[in-house]
Amino acid sequence: MYKVLLVEDETVIRQGLRELIGQSTSQFGVTGEAANGMEALEYLKCEIPDLMITDIRMREMDGLTLASKVKEMYPALPVVIISGYGEFEYARKAIEFGVSNYLLKPIERLELVSTLDKIKLTLDQRHGIAASAPASANANEWNVSGDTRKIIRDVKEFVKLHTDGDLRLQTVAARVHLNATYLSQLFKAETGMNYSEYVSDARMERAKWLLANTRLKIYDVARLSGHQSPKHFMLVFKQQVGLTAGDFRDQYGVQAPDESGQG
Protein backbone atom coordinates (compact mmCIF):
# COMPACT_ATOMS: atom_id res chain seq x y z
CA MET A 1 0.00 0.00 0.00
CA TYR A 2 1.32 3.43 -0.94
CA LYS A 3 1.52 6.04 1.82
CA VAL A 4 -0.33 9.36 1.49
CA LEU A 5 0.33 12.64 3.30
CA LEU A 6 -2.88 14.67 3.46
CA VAL A 7 -2.56 18.45 3.91
CA GLU A 8 -5.77 20.40 4.58
CA ASP A 9 -6.48 23.13 7.13
CA GLU A 10 -10.19 22.31 7.47
CA THR A 11 -10.48 19.35 9.86
CA VAL A 12 -13.86 18.18 8.57
CA ILE A 13 -12.71 18.23 4.95
CA ARG A 14 -9.47 16.45 5.85
CA GLN A 15 -11.34 13.70 7.68
CA GLY A 16 -13.80 13.33 4.83
CA LEU A 17 -11.05 13.06 2.25
CA ARG A 18 -9.23 10.47 4.37
CA GLU A 19 -12.40 8.38 4.50
CA LEU A 20 -13.01 8.83 0.77
CA ILE A 21 -9.52 7.58 -0.05
CA GLY A 22 -10.02 4.59 2.26
CA GLN A 23 -13.34 3.75 0.62
CA SER A 24 -12.12 4.25 -2.94
CA THR A 25 -8.90 2.24 -3.07
CA SER A 26 -6.90 -0.37 -1.21
CA GLN A 27 -3.70 0.72 -2.95
CA PHE A 28 -3.31 4.00 -1.04
CA GLY A 29 -3.69 4.80 2.64
CA VAL A 30 -3.40 8.06 4.57
CA THR A 31 -0.46 7.61 6.96
CA GLY A 32 0.17 11.28 7.72
CA GLU A 33 -1.87 14.45 8.08
CA ALA A 34 -1.01 18.13 8.39
CA ALA A 35 -3.20 21.15 9.02
CA ASN A 36 -0.96 23.55 7.10
CA GLY A 37 2.12 23.79 4.93
CA MET A 38 4.57 24.29 7.79
CA GLU A 39 3.34 21.14 9.51
CA ALA A 40 3.68 19.26 6.24
CA LEU A 41 7.29 20.36 5.78
CA GLU A 42 8.18 19.30 9.32
CA TYR A 43 6.55 15.93 8.69
CA LEU A 44 8.50 15.51 5.45
CA LYS A 45 11.79 16.07 7.25
CA CYS A 46 11.21 12.85 9.18
CA GLU A 47 8.87 10.73 7.05
CA ILE A 48 8.69 9.91 3.35
CA PRO A 49 5.22 9.38 1.86
CA ASP A 50 4.65 8.07 -1.65
CA LEU A 51 2.12 10.81 -2.46
CA MET A 52 1.10 14.19 -1.05
CA ILE A 53 -2.40 15.58 -1.51
CA THR A 54 -2.82 19.22 -0.49
CA ASP A 55 -5.46 21.93 -0.62
CA ILE A 56 -4.37 24.92 -2.66
CA ARG A 57 -5.70 27.56 -0.24
CA MET A 58 -4.51 27.34 3.37
CA ARG A 59 -3.47 29.70 6.10
CA GLU A 60 0.26 30.34 6.72
CA MET A 61 1.38 28.68 3.47
CA ASP A 62 -0.68 27.99 0.36
CA GLY A 63 -0.55 24.70 -1.50
CA LEU A 64 1.37 26.14 -4.43
CA THR A 65 4.19 27.37 -2.20
CA LEU A 66 4.17 24.05 -0.36
CA ALA A 67 4.37 22.12 -3.62
CA SER A 68 7.39 24.11 -4.80
CA LYS A 69 9.22 23.55 -1.49
CA VAL A 70 8.37 19.85 -1.48
CA LYS A 71 9.75 19.48 -5.00
CA GLU A 72 13.05 20.91 -3.73
CA MET A 73 13.15 18.22 -1.03
CA TYR A 74 11.82 15.27 -3.03
CA PRO A 75 11.71 16.04 -6.78
CA ALA A 76 10.11 12.70 -7.65
CA LEU A 77 7.35 12.85 -5.01
CA PRO A 78 3.92 13.03 -6.71
CA VAL A 79 1.82 15.97 -5.53
CA VAL A 80 -1.92 16.38 -6.11
CA ILE A 81 -3.60 19.68 -5.29
CA ILE A 82 -7.26 20.28 -4.41
CA SER A 83 -8.91 23.47 -5.63
CA GLY A 84 -12.29 25.13 -5.87
CA TYR A 85 -13.93 25.98 -9.16
CA GLY A 86 -12.92 29.63 -8.84
CA GLU A 87 -9.27 28.62 -8.52
CA PHE A 88 -9.15 26.60 -11.73
CA GLU A 89 -6.55 28.73 -13.52
CA TYR A 90 -4.52 28.98 -10.32
CA ALA A 91 -4.59 25.19 -10.11
CA ARG A 92 -3.50 24.79 -13.70
CA LYS A 93 -0.54 27.04 -13.02
CA ALA A 94 0.55 24.60 -10.33
CA ILE A 95 1.31 22.05 -13.04
CA GLU A 96 4.32 24.24 -13.89
CA PHE A 97 5.66 23.48 -10.41
CA GLY A 98 5.68 19.76 -11.09
CA VAL A 99 2.29 19.00 -9.54
CA SER A 100 1.05 15.63 -10.82
CA ASN A 101 -2.63 16.49 -11.01
CA TYR A 102 -5.41 18.54 -9.45
CA LEU A 103 -8.85 17.70 -8.14
CA LEU A 104 -11.77 20.11 -8.15
CA LYS A 105 -14.08 20.49 -5.15
CA PRO A 106 -16.35 18.81 -4.42
CA ILE A 107 -14.17 15.77 -5.08
CA GLU A 108 -15.93 12.99 -6.98
CA ARG A 109 -14.94 9.41 -6.21
CA LEU A 110 -14.46 8.45 -9.87
CA GLU A 111 -12.15 11.41 -10.45
CA LEU A 112 -10.17 10.55 -7.31
CA VAL A 113 -9.86 6.89 -8.35
CA SER A 114 -8.75 7.90 -11.87
CA THR A 115 -6.08 10.22 -10.46
CA LEU A 116 -4.80 7.65 -7.98
CA ASP A 117 -4.68 4.96 -10.67
CA LYS A 118 -2.44 7.16 -12.84
CA ILE A 119 -0.12 7.87 -9.92
CA LYS A 120 -0.05 4.19 -9.00
CA LEU A 121 1.22 3.33 -12.48
CA THR A 122 4.06 5.81 -12.06
CA LEU A 123 4.92 4.48 -8.60
CA ASP A 124 4.72 0.87 -9.77
CA GLN A 125 7.13 1.57 -12.61
CA ARG A 126 9.49 3.37 -10.24
CA HIS A 127 9.52 0.37 -7.91
CA GLY A 128 9.88 -2.13 -10.73
CA ILE A 129 6.39 -3.56 -10.30
CA ALA A 130 5.11 -2.84 -13.79
CA ALA A 131 6.65 -4.77 -16.67
CA SER A 132 7.25 -1.84 -18.96
CA ALA A 133 5.73 1.51 -19.76
CA PRO A 134 4.13 2.24 -23.12
CA ALA A 135 6.46 3.94 -25.56
CA SER A 136 4.47 7.18 -25.26
CA ALA A 137 4.42 7.23 -21.44
CA ASN A 138 7.43 9.49 -21.08
CA ALA A 139 7.03 11.48 -24.29
CA ASN A 140 6.39 14.77 -22.50
CA GLU A 141 9.11 14.13 -19.94
CA TRP A 142 11.81 13.46 -22.50
CA ASN A 143 10.73 15.30 -25.63
CA VAL A 144 13.96 14.13 -27.18
CA SER A 145 15.09 15.62 -30.46
CA GLY A 146 18.02 14.58 -32.61
CA ASP A 147 20.17 17.26 -31.06
CA THR A 148 23.02 15.77 -29.02
CA ARG A 149 23.18 18.55 -26.46
CA LYS A 150 19.44 18.36 -25.92
CA ILE A 151 19.66 14.60 -25.33
CA ILE A 152 22.48 14.91 -22.81
CA ARG A 153 20.72 17.81 -21.09
CA ASP A 154 17.59 15.67 -20.74
CA VAL A 155 19.59 12.73 -19.39
CA LYS A 156 21.34 14.90 -16.80
CA GLU A 157 18.04 16.41 -15.68
CA PHE A 158 16.45 12.98 -15.41
CA VAL A 159 19.34 11.72 -13.27
CA LYS A 160 19.04 14.66 -10.87
CA LEU A 161 15.29 14.12 -10.47
CA HIS A 162 15.50 10.34 -10.05
CA THR A 163 18.55 9.68 -7.89
CA ASP A 164 16.60 6.97 -6.04
CA GLY A 165 15.51 5.21 -9.23
CA ASP A 166 16.93 2.83 -11.81
CA LEU A 167 19.69 4.86 -13.47
CA ARG A 168 21.55 2.04 -15.16
CA LEU A 169 22.95 3.16 -18.50
CA GLN A 170 20.88 0.56 -20.38
CA THR A 171 17.66 1.75 -18.73
CA VAL A 172 18.24 5.45 -19.41
CA ALA A 173 19.45 4.77 -22.95
CA ALA A 174 16.21 2.92 -23.67
CA ARG A 175 14.22 5.93 -22.45
CA VAL A 176 15.92 8.21 -24.96
CA HIS A 177 15.79 5.54 -27.68
CA LEU A 178 19.55 5.18 -28.04
CA ASN A 179 22.01 2.33 -27.90
CA ALA A 180 23.66 2.24 -24.45
CA THR A 181 27.20 2.27 -25.85
CA TYR A 182 26.38 5.19 -28.13
CA LEU A 183 24.81 7.17 -25.29
CA SER A 184 27.89 6.51 -23.15
CA GLN A 185 30.12 7.90 -25.89
CA LEU A 186 27.89 10.93 -26.40
CA PHE A 187 27.78 11.66 -22.68
CA LYS A 188 31.56 11.45 -22.34
CA ALA A 189 32.12 13.67 -25.36
CA GLU A 190 29.61 16.29 -24.24
CA THR A 191 30.40 16.44 -20.49
CA GLY A 192 33.98 15.24 -20.23
CA MET A 193 33.04 12.62 -17.65
CA ASN A 194 31.68 9.09 -17.67
CA TYR A 195 27.95 8.57 -17.20
CA SER A 196 28.54 6.41 -14.13
CA GLU A 197 30.66 9.14 -12.54
CA TYR A 198 27.92 11.69 -13.14
CA VAL A 199 25.33 9.42 -11.53
CA SER A 200 27.58 8.82 -8.50
CA ASP A 201 28.19 12.55 -8.09
CA ALA A 202 24.47 13.36 -8.41
CA ARG A 203 23.57 10.76 -5.80
CA MET A 204 26.21 12.00 -3.39
CA GLU A 205 25.01 15.61 -3.76
CA ARG A 206 21.47 14.43 -3.11
CA ALA A 207 22.61 12.58 0.02
CA LYS A 208 24.42 15.67 1.31
CA TRP A 209 21.32 17.81 0.73
CA LEU A 210 19.08 15.35 2.56
CA LEU A 211 21.48 15.12 5.50
CA ALA A 212 21.69 18.90 5.78
CA ASN A 213 18.01 19.72 5.27
CA THR A 214 16.04 16.83 6.77
CA ARG A 215 16.08 14.67 9.88
CA LEU A 216 15.57 11.44 7.96
CA LYS A 217 17.36 8.39 9.28
CA ILE A 218 20.63 7.49 7.57
CA TYR A 219 19.17 4.42 5.88
CA ASP A 220 16.38 6.57 4.39
CA VAL A 221 18.96 9.07 3.13
CA ALA A 222 20.88 6.17 1.59
CA ARG A 223 17.78 4.82 -0.14
CA LEU A 224 16.58 8.19 -1.43
CA SER A 225 19.99 8.92 -2.89
CA GLY A 226 20.10 5.61 -4.74
CA HIS A 227 22.33 3.59 -2.39
CA GLN A 228 20.82 0.18 -1.74
CA SER A 229 23.09 -0.69 1.17
CA PRO A 230 23.27 1.78 4.09
CA LYS A 231 26.61 0.30 5.18
CA HIS A 232 28.10 0.76 1.73
CA PHE A 233 26.64 4.26 1.57
CA MET A 234 28.31 5.25 4.85
CA LEU A 235 31.63 3.85 3.64
CA VAL A 236 31.45 5.66 0.29
CA PHE A 237 30.27 8.88 1.93
CA LYS A 238 33.25 8.91 4.30
CA GLN A 239 35.65 8.23 1.42
CA GLN A 240 34.27 10.96 -0.84
CA VAL A 241 33.32 13.66 1.67
CA GLY A 242 35.92 13.10 4.38
CA LEU A 243 33.26 13.01 7.11
CA THR A 244 30.85 10.37 8.32
CA ALA A 245 27.22 10.99 7.40
CA GLY A 246 26.46 11.75 11.05
CA ASP A 247 29.33 14.21 11.38
CA PHE A 248 28.28 15.92 8.14
CA ARG A 249 24.76 16.39 9.49
CA ASP A 250 26.09 17.72 12.81
CA GLN A 251 28.27 20.23 10.98
CA TYR A 252 25.98 21.36 8.17
CA GLY A 253 22.47 20.32 9.17
CA VAL A 254 19.65 22.77 9.80
CA GLN A 255 18.30 22.01 13.25
CA ALA A 256 14.69 22.36 14.37
CA PRO A 257 13.90 25.28 16.70
CA ASP A 258 13.23 22.99 19.68
CA GLU A 259 16.48 21.04 19.33
CA SER A 260 19.55 21.89 21.38
CA GLY A 261 22.86 21.08 19.74
CA GLN A 262 22.36 17.39 19.09
CA GLY A 263 22.51 16.22 15.46
Side-chain angles (χ1 to χ4, degrees):
M1 181 180 72
Y2 289 119
K3 300 179 292 185
V4 178
L5 169 61
L6 195 55
V7 189
E8 166 63 62
D9 58 354
E10 297 292 339
T11 304
V12 174
I13 296 177
R14 190 169 69 247
Q15 291 175 343
L17 185 54
R18 181 180 66 237
E19 293 175 3
L20 182 59
I21 292 172
Q23 295 167 0
S24 302
T25 177
S26 61
Q27 305 299 321
F28 290 85
V30 177
T31 57
E33 297 183 28
N36 56 61
M38 297 304 296
E39 281 188 17
L41 291 177
E42 284 302 308
Y43 177 91
L44 289 167
K45 289 180 181 179
C46 302
E47 301 291 338
I48 315 162
D50 298 297
L51 166 67
M52 183 179 78
I53 300 178
T54 178
D55 194 358
I56 203 167
R57 285 196 181 276
M58 297 182 293
R59 294 179 287 272
E60 294 189 33
M61 182 186 297
D62 63 75
L64 197 58
T65 301
L66 173 61
S68 66
K69 290 182 178 295
V70 167
K71 285 299 179 179
E72 292 177 5
M73 297 175 69
Y74 307 117
L77 177 66
V79 175
V80 172
I81 59 171
I82 304 168
S83 67
Y85 284 106
E87 302 155 353
F88 184 71
E89 289 303 320
Y90 186 51
R92 289 183 64 90
K93 183 180 178 182
I95 303 299
E96 300 174 12
F97 287 80
V99 170
S100 302
N101 210 330
Y102 55 86
L103 295 168
L104 292 175
K105 297 177 181 177
I107 299 172
E108 297 183 4
R109 178 177 296 191
L110 289 179
E111 187 67 24
L112 174 64
V113 170
S114 174
T115 297
L116 293 179
D117 281 347
K118 292 176 184 177
I119 293 172
K120 180 180 179 296
L121 285 176
T122 300
L123 293 172
D124 284 350
Q125 291 169 22
R126 188 177 302 164
H127 290 84
I129 298 174
S132 60
S136 62
N138 294 291
N140 291 334
E141 182 175 10
W142 284 102
N143 193 24
V144 176
S145 70
D147 182 71
T148 300
R149 291 184 179 179
K150 174 73 165 65
I151 293 173
I152 301 305
R153 207 160 52 234
D154 287 343
V155 168
K156 290 169 70 176
E157 183 67 15
F158 183 81
V159 168
K160 288 181 180 179
L161 293 177
H162 299 83
T163 53
D164 61 336
D166 181 0
L167 295 178
R168 289 174 298 174
L169 178 62
Q170 293 85 349
T171 303
V172 175
R175 286 182 175 274
V176 293
H177 313 293
L178 290 178
N179 174 274
T181 302
Y182 182 56
L183 175 59
S184 177
Q185 295 171 346
L186 283 182
F187 197 92
K188 175 73 172 180
E190 186 68 26
T191 67
M193 66 189 307
N194 294 325
Y195 172 77
S196 59
E197 293 175 332
Y198 181 82
V199 170
S200 295
D201 288 349
R203 283 175 161 161
M204 190 56 60
E205 287 303 311
R206 178 62 173 158
K208 288 160 68 176
W209 191 94
L210 288 169
L211 286 168
N213 292 277
T214 75
R215 296 190 295 278
L216 294 172
K217 297 184 184 301
I218 298 299
Y219 61 78
D220 282 328
V221 171
R223 178 171 58 83
L224 285 173
S225 57
H227 300 85
Q228 300 304 313
S229 166
K231 289 184 178 180
H232 183 257
F233 163 70
M234 290 188 284
L235 177 64
V236 172
F237 191 93
K238 178 66 182 297
Q239 291 175 341
Q240 294 191 17
V241 182
L243 294 170
T244 66
D247 288 342
F248 182 88
R249 169 170 278 165
D250 290 340
Q251 187 167 337
Y252 298 103
V254 178
Q255 297 181 1
D258 59 341
E259 292 181 338
S260 53
Q262 301 301 315

